[in-house]
Amino acid sequence: MKHLTIVLTLLGMAACIIVAESPSYVPLRPVISLPEAFPLAARALGSDTNRFYCLQALWGTNDAPNGKWLFVFVSTNGESKRVTVFSDRKTRVAPTMVLPGGR
């Protein structure tokens, strides 16, 4: 019984090490850095960069396999725009939204 317990313990430890070293458990890092992505987002806004300022920058992988940056730009009158910068450096500007309390 003692030998069985030792063997099962060693197998359990080996399984934990294998799972921990698996690539699926390594956090994915951005393909492009924030300093590279921000100018692309600002360029995608075009002349609206005169009215909007960046409130938030988020990086995620939920619907883009290599990750994406999401920038939230807002204006002083309550409008906001979302700019997505993908890992291939393509951008997408979401429609303008009016935030609560905006004019």
Side-chain angles (χ1 to χ4, degrees):
M1 186 68 176
K2 204 180 223 185
H3 293 299
L4 180 62
T5 305
I6 291 172
V7 169
L8 290 176
T9 302
L10 290 174
L11 285 173
M13 290 172 56
C16 288
I17 290 171
I18 289 170
V19 169
E21 294 297 321
S22 169
S24 63
Y25 287 94
V26 176
L28 188 63
R29 295 186 330 182
V31 174
I32 61 174
S33 66
L34 178 60
E36 291 175 288
F38 183 77
L40 296 171
R43 190 175 312 128
L45 273 182
S47 63
D48 282 343
T49 55
N50 296 329
R51 298 185 310 120
F52 288 83
Y53 61 92
C54 185
L55 178 67
Q56 188 175 35
L58 303 166
W59 181 80
T61 59
N62 56 346
D63 62 348
N66 292 324
K68 65 180 181 182
W69 283 100
L70 174 66
F71 294 91
V72 178
F73 290 88
V74 296
S75 69
T76 55
N77 65 0
E79 291 178 276
S80 74
K81 290 190 178 189
R82 295 177 189 211
V83 179
T84 305
V85 178
F86 297 95
S87 60
D88 60 0
R89 291 173 167 67
K90 291 182 181 175
T91 59
R92 181 179 63 205
V93 180
T96 301
M97 302 175 300
V98 177
L99 300 174
R103 295 177 193 98

